[in-house]
Amino acid sequence: MVSAFRRHAHGTRSTICTARPPSPTRHRESKNMSFELGIYHFGELTPNPETGITMNPGQHLRDLIEQATISDEVGLDVFAVGEHHRTDFAASAPAVVLAAMAQATRSIKLSSAVTILSSDDPVRVFQQFATLDLISEGRAEIIAGRGSYTESFPLFGHDLADYTELFTEKLDLLLRLRDTNPVNWKGNHRAPLIDADITPRPDRELPIWVAIGGTPASVVRAAKLNLPLSLAIIGGSYRYFAPYVELYRDTVANLGHDPTGLKISVSSPGFIADTSKRALDLSYPYFQAGWMQNHHQRGNGVPMPRKAYEAQASAGGAFFLGGPQEIIDKVMSQYELFKHDRLMIQMGFGNVPQKDMLRAIEILGTEVAPVIRKEIAKLKDLETTK
């Protein structure tokens, strides 16, 4: 496995993975109760801060497929791709990108990050991810969100004034599509469905998460719908979000739902290298460039001074930046607070060089993940024996 990675790290493209990975079914069974670690990427096309050259979108998408392949090889659990509809992003069709990843991988789960459900058609979303689930033999997931980037709303003929109503209605339809067929449904923002036969049907219940950025109403919605929660923590102190996790679990308990099946994921930016200094030095110029050029509102980037970046890498900061031990320590501190089930790292925002990205993935999968899984398994065993 490591020798296969080394070929990529030194810039030589060749056939990946000479050893056959485990089947998807065995992978899911063996890690069913484990803490999950994964990577998500928005496909941003940030100009290189040293050369000013912007990567070709096709090359960037092929690089993302390679990243997913290496993530699978080193034993990570999830790879997710975001959805954006601007020329400074390459991934406007995540399901297509994830389908290509499905053919290059064997075990890793493949997810959106997020599906902007408010401006999409839930029928097409369900069909695309059901197809992905069939192709990947049961590895597809949907993380549904309202969208913090707003370009997709006018692009697909929606009024931002309907921002909240659109998401509520379309999430209701997406869940109906998952749970029943044929479907009868009527809403305000889409033609009604009358005995609609929605195909293909996946071989299992398609996992659907709800993404939130820190509003109590969104937390309560996810709990009421009995859906897993994907919590985006992209700045400040992660401890600020503890009340949202508590609210989610309290609401689930008060409604009488079974809390054991509901999961919580944390998503944050970060980068890993062999040492903390190398992680900061490598990633900072690219992150700063991406923060300025690929921000939520185009043309309104926010400066990220080096000191602020280092503050986010500190023990209480939101970012997972550092060497293996710093990452392990922060994950364990978060777990003690949240008791969550998954961590997703937006690795190398702004596009660090591919060889450094692949090395970071290798470190996460081979040096960080095994330690975290072992330590969290010990804590869970202690909890069950009390």
Side-chain angles (χ1 to χ4, degrees):
M1 180 183 298
V2 175
S3 62
F5 167 81
R6 296 297 179 196
R7 290 198 294 272
H8 292 265
H10 288 85
T12 302
R13 302 275 176 170
S14 59
T15 302
I16 300 171
C17 190
T18 55
R20 184 176 179 82
S23 71
T25 301
R26 288 201 302 270
H27 177 89
R28 288 197 303 273
E29 288 174 351
S30 66
K31 293 185 178 179
N32 188 43
M33 301 303 291
S34 298
F35 186 85
E36 294 185 326
L37 288 106
I39 292 169
Y40 70 104
H41 209 294
F42 287 165
E44 62 274 7
L45 294 169
T46 310
N48 186 296
E50 296 180 1
T51 66
I53 297 173
T54 300
M55 188 185 301
N56 173 272
Q59 182 60 59
H60 192 25
L61 292 171
R62 290 187 290 274
D63 282 352
L64 292 181
I65 295 168
E66 184 179 34
Q67 291 173 24
T69 306
I70 297 299
S71 297
D72 189 44
E73 289 181 14
V74 300
L76 293 179
D77 299 283
V78 192
F79 199 99
V81 178
E83 173 189 348
H84 294 86
H85 298 270
R86 295 187 340 207
T87 52
D88 53 342
F89 291 90
S92 63
V96 177
V97 181
L98 294 169
M101 292 174 175
Q103 292 300 94
T105 59
R106 290 296 307 277
S107 300
I108 197 165
K109 295 176 182 178
L110 302 167
S111 179
S112 58
V114 301
T115 294
I116 307 175
L117 192 60
S118 305
S119 59
D120 212 333
D121 180 2
V123 173
R124 292 301 286 150
V125 169
F126 180 82
Q127 290 176 326
Q128 289 162 3
F129 279 85
T131 301
L132 172 64
D133 203 56
L134 292 168
I135 291 171
S136 65
E137 299 183 76
R139 292 187 282 138
E141 295 186 356
I142 298 172
I143 301 178
R146 293 187 293 179
S148 56
Y149 290 68
T150 59
E151 289 80 8
S152 63
F153 288 82
L155 182 64
F156 297 113
H158 296 290
D159 190 337
L160 276 171
D162 299 324
Y163 184 79
T164 300
E165 184 181 347
L166 281 165
F167 183 71
T168 301
E169 180 176 297
K170 292 190 176 188
L171 181 58
D172 173 71
L173 176 53
L174 182 63
L175 295 174
R176 189 80 61 89
L177 294 165
R178 183 186 69 172
D179 297 338
T180 62
N181 194 56
V183 179
N184 290 283
W185 180 90
K186 185 177 181 180
N188 297 321
H189 297 280
R190 192 202 184 281
L193 298 173
I194 302 172
D195 291 329
D197 183 15
I198 309 300
T199 61
R201 307 301 301 180
D203 294 329
R204 60 172 189 146
E205 182 176 275
L206 191 62
I208 298 174
W209 298 64
V210 173
I212 72 157
T215 62
S218 296
V219 173
V220 171
R221 178 194 293 114
K224 286 183 175 180
L225 292 172
N226 208 28
L227 293 174
L229 185 73
S230 179
L231 182 63
I233 304 178
I234 60 172
S237 171
Y238 66 82
R239 296 186 179 280
Y240 171 81
F241 289 84
Y244 295 98
V245 173
E246 184 178 358
L247 173 63
Y248 175 72
R249 291 201 169 108
D250 286 347
T251 305
V252 168
N254 291 337
L255 291 171
H257 295 321
D258 179 6
T260 58
L262 293 179
K263 297 186 180 298
I264 296 174
S265 174
V266 171
S267 301
S268 298
F271 189 73
I272 304 172
D274 294 282
T275 68
S276 180
K277 183 178 186 305
R278 181 164 174 77
L280 289 164
D281 290 345
L282 268 173
S283 64
Y284 173 70
Y286 296 91
F287 188 94
Q288 161 67 357
W291 214 238
M292 287 296 296
Q293 297 171 46
N294 306 107
H295 206 258
H296 292 73
Q297 301 302 322
R298 186 158 26 193
N300 292 314
V302 178
M304 174 67 75
R306 174 68 184 245
K307 287 186 177 180
Y309 194 61
E310 292 177 355
Q312 289 299 323
S314 67
F319 293 2
F320 286 86
L321 283 165
Q325 192 59 52
E326 285 89 359
I327 304 304
I328 291 167
D329 291 344
K330 182 169 285 190
V331 174
M332 295 307 300
S333 293
Q334 274 200 359
Y335 181 78
E336 290 178 6
L337 183 64
F338 296 143
K339 296 294 190 292
H340 52 310
D341 306 277
R342 175 186 288 181
L343 170 66
M344 298 290 292
I345 301 178
Q346 185 186 17
M347 189 83 83
F349 180 71
N351 299 325
V352 300
Q354 182 76 343
K355 65 180 179 63
D356 297 313
M357 183 68 175
L358 297 181
R359 175 59 182 154
I361 292 170
E362 185 190 33
I363 294 171
L364 181 63
T366 62
E367 299 182 37
V368 174
V371 176
I372 290 170
R373 291 182 186 125
K374 182 178 180 180
E375 292 303 312
I376 289 179
K378 287 181 181 177
L379 291 175
K380 288 182 176 180
D381 287 343
L382 288 173
E383 291 169 4
T384 56
T385 56
K386 288 181 179 179

